[in-house]
Amino acid sequence: MNGRPPRADALRNRARVLEAAGAVFAERGTAASTEEVARRAGVGIGTVFRHFPTKESLLEAALAGLMEELADRARALEDAADPGAAFFGFFSEVVRRSATKNALSGALAEAGVDALRAGGEAGPALKQSLGTLLERAQGAGAVRADVGAAEVMALLAAMTHAAGLGGGTGALAVVFDGLKAP
């Protein structure tokens, strides 16, 4: 490394590659090639390998990027005017984006990479912000007071798994009915 910060176009290309990787791996699973990612991103395969020398490094970066996006989104909602809508909206967003997360995590597991470690520092930040969203929603009377962050995380895990099996909005409505304050 020469110590210089990356050029703006290199940063844009990296971001496009990561976005394309998330979409391609969510759609096609681990069989998808880096060439498909390059095509979707509108860059050459050399650009992909310049940023990510192996498919596993691309998968790790894509998962870390997704987790960071979700953590940023949760932080942005912490001061929402309607804490209940913020909590349930964020829960829905995580489930909606679970196909990408599941595909990336599964591909990493197949490659022998620990997906929790690959998620980077965003995982704990995401959990903390989710806890804040939960507390604010409970304070506003939108979510039952007897539900803790551990239960919400378990429900999110179950719903992201169910989403991968085709369990859609009907199952999510049942979960939300159970979480809502009486």
Side-chain angles (χ1 to χ4, degrees):
M1 212 34 146
N2 58 18
R4 290 186 311 214
R7 295 183 339 227
D9 62 330
L11 291 173
R12 280 191 303 273
N13 283 342
R14 185 179 194 281
R16 287 172 40 200
V17 168
L18 287 174
E19 183 178 332
V24 167
F25 291 128
E27 292 167 11
R28 307 217 350 105
T30 59
S33 69
T34 51
E35 287 83 4
E36 291 176 81
V37 172
R39 272 193 301 277
R40 176 79 61 98
V43 301
I45 190 66
T47 298
V48 173
F49 285 120
R50 191 169 19 264
H51 291 284
F52 309 102
T54 66
K55 188 173 181 178
E56 288 77 23
S57 66
L58 175 58
L59 292 165
E60 285 184 64
L63 180 60
L66 174 62
M67 298 301 288
E68 288 168 14
E69 285 178 34
L70 289 172
D72 289 346
R73 178 73 177 128
R75 275 191 295 273
L77 290 170
E78 286 180 1
D79 295 321
D82 184 342
F87 172 80
F88 288 112
F90 182 70
F91 195 112
S92 296
E93 183 174 346
V94 171
V95 172
R96 189 179 73 253
R97 297 185 71 184
S98 66
T100 301
K101 181 193 166 290
N102 292 345
L104 294 170
S105 296
L108 286 169
E110 284 181 20
V113 177
D114 179 7
L116 288 176
R117 183 193 56 75
E121 297 175 14
L126 177 58
K127 287 180 185 179
Q128 181 178 357
S129 291
L130 182 60
T132 300
L133 293 176
L134 173 62
E135 289 172 10
R136 290 200 66 237
Q138 288 172 321
V143 174
R144 299 165 45 151
D146 62 342
V147 175
E151 288 89 3
V152 171
M153 291 302 292
L155 287 169
L156 263 174
M159 289 307 303
T160 59
H161 181 70
L165 299 174
T169 56
L172 195 55
V174 171
V175 169
F176 283 1
D177 284 346
L179 285 169
K180 289 180 181 171

